């Protein structure tokens, strides 16, 4: 056997180095240790390990080892397949997780949306109930104050003077007829003439304005409030019938569609007609909202009816 001498920091490293040089595994080498070497102190005075190595006789006769590439290739292929499976499983898990998360998110969003709708409906119901309650309180506040004959005569006189001055300025001849209704605490004034259409105006707006101004004049200095009603050519009665028919038609629409209807702005007198016309209705109720002159009536389904 031909020996070669190999040195390294340690015996183990020397054997490895010899195996590489001789292209032979360590178990096929005949190894003789010359010196195991020493580390010294902090690297000072260190000595390398020295060995003598030769290939064993039987190893020389043996055929050269065949590199087992196929098992390695097979191992790599198996590892690759395992990695692919892991990646695939991970992808499936991620998709399932995303699917679950999206499903839960949709449920949560749907829940929030329903809660928001419920909250909005509750707020709307509270507002509607508050407005209806406030309207009822306002109606109860008006109380008829009994008037003496002298007070009634003074009211008629102030109304007559004011209206004649207005009609005189307009150049219109008008005949006035006044009556104080004690039961309702209302001063009713009816006038007639040749040009009454001008005094009525579009949808009674001119008549309503005159009524409002006359009411201010009549109630000036009075202890209790007195209603004033102006009419001509039976306009109020005809308008009352029109509004009552409108109220019934609107009530039927609300009952069928189950949706509230907002009417156009009206004066207090016409709003009272709508309220009174629908007060006995079992399916709908009314309330006013907004500020004058844009205050209007809302016709809506009664709560117990909407729950059926």
């Amino acid at each position: 056997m031909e020996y070669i001498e190999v040195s390294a920091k340690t015996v183990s490293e020397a054997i490895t180095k010899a195996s590489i040089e001789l292209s032979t595994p360590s178990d096929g080498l005949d190894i003789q240790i010359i010196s195991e070497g020493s580390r010294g102190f902090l690297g000072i005075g260190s000595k390398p390990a020295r060995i003598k190595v030769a290939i064993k006789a039987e190893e020389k006769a043996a055929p050269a080892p065949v590199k087992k590439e196929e098992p390695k290739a097979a191992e790599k292929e198996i590892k690759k397949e395992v990695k692919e499976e892991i990646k695939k499983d991970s992808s499936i898990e991620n998709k399932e997780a995303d699917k679950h998360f999206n499903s839960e998110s949709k449920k949560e969003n749907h829940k929030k949306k329903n809660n928001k709708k419920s909250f909005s409906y509750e707020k709307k119901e509270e507002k509607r109930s508050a407005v209806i309650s406030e309207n009822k309180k306002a109606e109860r506040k008006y109380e008829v104050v009994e008037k003496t004959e002298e007070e009634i005569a003074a009211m008629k006189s102030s109304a007559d003077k004011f209206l004649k001055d207005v009609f005189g300025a307009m150049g219109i001849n008008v005949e006035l007829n006044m009556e104080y209704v004690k039961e309702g605490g209302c001063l009713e004034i009816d006038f007639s003439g040749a040009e009454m259409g001008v005094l009525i105006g579009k949808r009674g707006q001119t008549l309503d304005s005159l009524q409002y101004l006359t009411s201010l004049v009549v109630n000036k200095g009075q202890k209790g409030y007195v209603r004033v009603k102006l009419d001509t050519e039976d306009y109020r009665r005809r308008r009352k019938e029109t509004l009552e028919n409108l109220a019934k038609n609107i009530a039927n629409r609300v009952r069928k569609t189950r949706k509230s209807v907002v009417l156009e702005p009206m004066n207090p007198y016409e709003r009272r007609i709508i309220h009174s016309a629908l007060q006995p209705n079992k399916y709908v109720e009314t309330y006013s909202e907004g500020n004058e002159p844009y205050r209007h009536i809302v016709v809506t389904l009664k709560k117990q009816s909407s729950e059926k």
Side-chain angles (χ1 to χ4, degrees), residues 61-157:
V66 179
K67 293 183 179 179
K68 298 181 180 180
E69 294 295 336
E70 292 183 2
K72 288 185 179 179
E75 185 179 351
K76 286 183 179 179
E77 189 65 28
I78 292 171
K79 288 182 178 179
K80 185 178 178 181
E81 290 180 1
V82 171
K83 285 182 180 179
E84 288 295 329
E85 287 297 322
I86 293 172
K87 187 176 180 181
K88 185 178 178 181
D89 292 343
S90 176
S91 176
I92 293 172
E93 288 178 0
N94 289 337
K95 286 181 180 179
E96 289 297 323
D98 290 342
K99 186 177 179 181
H100 177 73
F101 176 77
N102 291 335
S103 176
E104 291 299 319
S105 297
K106 286 181 181 179
K107 287 180 182 179
E108 188 66 24
N109 291 335
H110 184 67
K111 185 178 180 181
K112 286 180 180 179
K113 190 175 181 181
N114 287 339
N115 289 341
K116 189 175 181 181
K117 284 184 178 179
S118 177
F119 178 76
S120 176
Y121 176 77
E122 289 175 1
K123 282 291 181 183
K124 187 176 179 182
E125 287 298 315
E126 288 178 6
K127 180 182 176 183
R128 184 180 70 169
S129 300
V131 173
I132 292 174
S133 178
E134 196 64 31
N135 288 341
K136 288 180 179 179
K137 287 180 182 178
E139 289 177 3
R140 287 197 296 268
K141 284 182 182 178
Y142 178 75
E143 295 180 0
V144 177
V145 179
E146 188 174 349
K147 298 291 182 180
T148 63
E149 292 299 328
E150 290 79 8
E151 289 174 328
I152 294 172
M155 287 190 295
K156 288 183 178 180
S157 177

Side-chain angles (χ1 to χ4, degrees), residues 243-262:
L243 291 174
E244 287 174 342
N245 289 331
L246 173 66
K248 291 176 183 177
N249 292 334
I250 293 296
N252 290 334
R253 188 196 306 176
V254 171
R255 184 184 174 187
K256 289 179 181 179
T257 63
R258 307 181 75 82
K259 293 181 180 179
S260 301
V261 173
V262 179

Side-chain angles (χ1 to χ4, degrees), residues 165-308:
D165 289 343
V166 172
F167 297 147
M170 296 174 67
I172 301 175
N173 294 322
V174 180
E175 292 184 9
L176 299 176
N177 182 27
M178 299 187 189
E179 181 183 359
Y180 181 74
V181 181
K182 294 183 179 180
E183 290 79 7
C186 179
L187 178 62
E188 296 182 354
I189 305 173
D190 187 80
F191 41 85
S192 58
E195 303 177 54
M196 295 299 98
V198 176
L199 296 180
I200 293 173
K202 183 180 179 181
R203 294 183 182 177
Q205 290 179 355
T206 305
L207 191 63
D208 291 337
S209 298
L210 279 173
Q211 181 172 285
Y212 173 70
L213 295 173
T214 306
S215 177
L216 294 178
V217 172
V218 169
N219 283 284
K220 186 178 180 180
Q222 293 290 332
K223 293 180 181 180
Y225 180 76
V226 175
R227 287 178 179 170
V228 176
K229 177 184 174 184
L230 265 62
D231 194 12
T232 181
E233 296 182 349
D234 207 19
Y235 172 79
R236 296 296 186 190
R237 183 189 64 77
R238 290 185 285 110
R239 179 64 174 167
K240 182 174 181 290
E241 290 178 356
T242 300
L243 291 174
E244 287 174 342
N245 289 331
L246 173 66
K248 291 176 183 177
N249 292 334
I250 293 296
N252 290 334
R253 188 196 306 176
V254 171
R255 184 184 174 187
K256 289 179 181 179
T257 63
R258 307 181 75 82
K259 293 181 180 179
S260 301
V261 173
V262 179
L263 302 183
E264 63 181 8
M266 297 179 183
N267 60 50
Y269 170 74
E270 293 188 342
R271 291 200 302 270
R272 280 195 296 272
I273 293 174
I274 299 292
H275 288 310
S276 299
L278 297 181
Q279 190 173 7
N281 195 294
K282 297 186 296 182
Y283 305 101
V284 302
E285 59 186 356
T286 62
Y287 63 91
S288 298
E289 64 178 13
N291 299 319
E292 300 291 358
Y294 306 106
R295 192 165 175 79
H296 54 266
I297 288 178
V298 179
V299 183
T300 184
L301 202 65
K302 282 185 178 179
K303 196 170 183 180
Q304 59 268 27
S305 298
S306 62
E307 291 175 351
K308 289 181 181 179

Side-chain angles (χ1 to χ4, degrees), residues 1-7 14 17-19 21-22 29-30 32 34 50-55:
M1 292 185 294
E2 295 180 3
Y3 285 89
I4 63 171
E5 188 173 320
V6 180
S7 62
K17 188 176 179 181
S19 296
E21 287 184 10
L22 297 175
L29 298 175
D30 184 18
Q32 296 178 10
I34 300 171
R50 294 167 58 208
I51 61 173
K52 288 176 69 175
V53 182
I55 300 173

